[in-house]
Amino acid sequence: MTDRPHLTAARAIARLEPLWVAIAAPLLLFPGSYIAFALILILLAPLARLLITGRLTRYSPLNFPVLAILLMALIGYLVSADPQLSWPKLWGIILQTAIFFAALNYIDTKRRLLWAAVLLLLLAPAVALLSLLGIDWSLVRLLPLNALYQDIPRLEPLALLPDYGLPTSRPLFHPREVGATIAFLLPLPLAMLLFGRGRRLRLLAAAATLPPLLLLLLTQAPMGFLGLAAALALFAVCWRWWTVIPMTLVGAGLAAAVLAYRPR
């Protein structure tokens, strides 16, 4: 027995969920008058799935936490002292939610899981190379490397994109935000480099690790370094459980040094 035409169309729409989210992504990152179109795009697959299966998404233990974050973002926007600045942040969180549910519903076979892993592996260097063109290096605070930063090219047209919350005379990205993002993406290629099986996979992981790692060093972002340190600590514990003991001692020593030598 063949499906009705509308069910066949709904299945095709649901299967293409990553495509709809990918098309909507730039529209959500830089929200403008076309934001309603982007919202329709990310709702296409869930509504099609509801028609086919009677539910919007597959079950996952993270479903409710992700939706709770989305709800808190909406409440934060409603009570924000500067709605114009919070507006693009809200749509950024909506995009992250759409990506989570698209991945949850699309990755249901080992082959798709492999392709998703490769995509995530390449995401870190892609974000690093894109971010490199729009960072305001004058905001870097730790080490004075002005001579180095002056030689890094910057894509000024990025500063002209609408509704990103910065004056048009400023570049698009803050180095600390970039560093924190890189610290979030870098652990995956690092894990594949350290623990992956197969020479090709490890070579690909090494190539994907180098650009974001270099950019993280350039941004001098404390939160980025902290995130990377946490990831390396987790890797060490997974490799040898007893490493938690020296890491705890080192962490306690660093904390004591900071408390002892902080300005009075």
Side-chain angles (χ1 to χ4, degrees), residues 24-25 59 66 99 110 118 140 146-147 150 163 176 178 208 226 233 247 254 258:
Y59 171 76
V66 169
I99 292 174
K110 289 185 178 180
V118 172
V140 177
N146 295 334
Q150 288 174 359
D163 297 326
R176 291 188 178 182
V178 172
L226 183 61
M247 285 190 299
L254 290 175
V258 170

Side-chain angles (χ1 to χ4, degrees), residues 16-190:
L16 294 175
E17 185 169 12
L19 175 62
W20 309 133
V21 175
I23 296 173
L27 307 180
L28 294 171
L29 285 173
F30 308 105
S33 57
Y34 37 72
I35 199 66
F37 175 67
L39 188 60
I40 291 173
L41 282 175
I42 63 175
L43 289 177
L44 276 176
L47 292 177
R49 194 176 301 110
L50 179 64
L51 179 63
I52 300 167
T53 66
R55 61 178 186 270
L56 290 170
T57 181
R58 292 171 59 191
Y59 171 76
S60 163
L62 290 177
N63 284 7
F64 289 108
V66 169
L67 291 175
I69 293 173
L70 179 61
L71 179 60
M72 287 187 289
L74 178 59
I75 295 173
Y77 170 73
L78 293 176
V79 300
S80 173
D82 190 348
Q84 184 177 2
L85 185 61
S86 301
W87 179 247
K89 302 295 184 181
L90 172 63
W91 287 105
I93 293 176
I94 291 175
L95 172 59
Q96 295 171 32
T97 304
I99 292 174
F100 168 78
F101 284 110
L104 173 64
N105 290 283
Y106 183 77
I107 303 174
D108 55 0
T109 64
K110 289 185 178 180
R111 183 178 180 85
R112 288 182 174 181
L113 180 60
L114 175 62
W115 281 110
V118 172
L119 178 62
L120 288 174
L121 189 66
L122 299 176
L123 184 60
V127 169
L129 294 175
L130 176 62
S131 301
L132 183 65
L133 298 176
I135 294 178
D136 186 354
W137 296 110
S138 67
L139 299 175
V140 177
R141 292 289 180 264
L142 296 182
L143 298 177
L145 301 174
N146 295 334
L148 173 62
Y149 294 140
Q150 288 174 359
D151 294 331
I152 299 177
R154 193 171 71 192
L155 192 59
E156 293 293 347
L158 286 176
L160 302 178
L161 291 170
D163 297 326
Y164 57 86
L166 294 176
T168 55
S169 60
R170 296 281 294 278
L172 187 62
F173 307 117
H174 192 292
R176 291 188 178 182
E177 292 182 352
V178 172
T181 303
I182 292 299
F184 177 75
L185 297 173
L186 191 54
L188 178 62
L190 268 177

